[in-house]
Amino acid sequence: MQLQTNLASTAMLAPANPLAPGSEIYHAFRLLQARQAIMYHMAKSVFTDAERLRANDSAYQCESLGQLALWLRNVRRVASERTALAAAAATRILRGRTSDYAGGMSAAAAGYAFTAETGLTSWDLANL
């Protein structure tokens, strides 16, 4: 009987798992992962050094996982759009076409779609 009482009191004194979801350490780890993911995508050559610096400052000042997840999604989208536009421009140059009117129109349409869906422009995203 005494052994059971000692075990029960010991179990009550044991600290909670500091790495369990919902703990401060877990939250800090998830923030770090989100920030690193954003900066991984920002390291691509389609972003300027100024954009990288602004993103780094903004990401490391933000304490909201939801906001960081939104930024990550938008950074991925912008990176893929810019990569596609760069590839299209390179293809036009290889084919001897110098007019960028069609590319500009498709970029504008993609920008309008991005703004309509998120409420953010590329400039807003860069300033986050």
Side-chain angles (χ1 to χ4, degrees):
M1 181 71 163
Q2 181 65 22
L3 179 62
Q4 289 177 347
T5 306
N6 286 342
L7 289 175
S9 64
T10 304
M12 293 171 70
L13 296 177
N17 183 0
L19 302 177
S23 69
E24 289 183 30
I25 294 174
Y26 181 79
H27 181 71
F29 179 68
R30 295 293 293 163
L31 284 173
L32 178 66
Q33 282 182 321
R35 290 170 178 149
Q36 287 177 338
I38 290 170
M39 295 316 298
Y40 171 78
H41 289 286
M42 290 298 297
K44 295 178 180 172
S45 63
V46 295
F47 293 103
T48 65
D49 289 338
E51 289 173 325
R52 285 187 201 104
L53 287 173
R54 282 194 306 267
N56 188 40
D57 289 342
S58 298
Y60 281 93
Q61 290 175 5
C62 181
E63 296 292 323
S64 169
L65 278 173
Q67 185 70 34
L68 288 172
L70 176 65
W71 287 354
L72 177 59
R73 189 184 88 203
N74 290 337
V75 165
R76 283 179 180 160
R77 176 180 292 144
V78 169
S80 67
E81 288 173 356
R82 289 183 181 180
T83 302
L85 287 174
T91 301
R92 281 193 300 278
I93 289 170
L94 287 174
R95 291 181 180 171
R97 298 179 185 159
T98 57
S99 172
D100 201 26
Y101 178 76
M105 292 300 290
S106 64
Y112 294 136
F114 174 75
T115 301
E117 181 179 333
T118 64
L120 298 171
T121 64
S122 296
W123 177 253
D124 294 334
L125 178 63
N127 288 320
L128 289 179

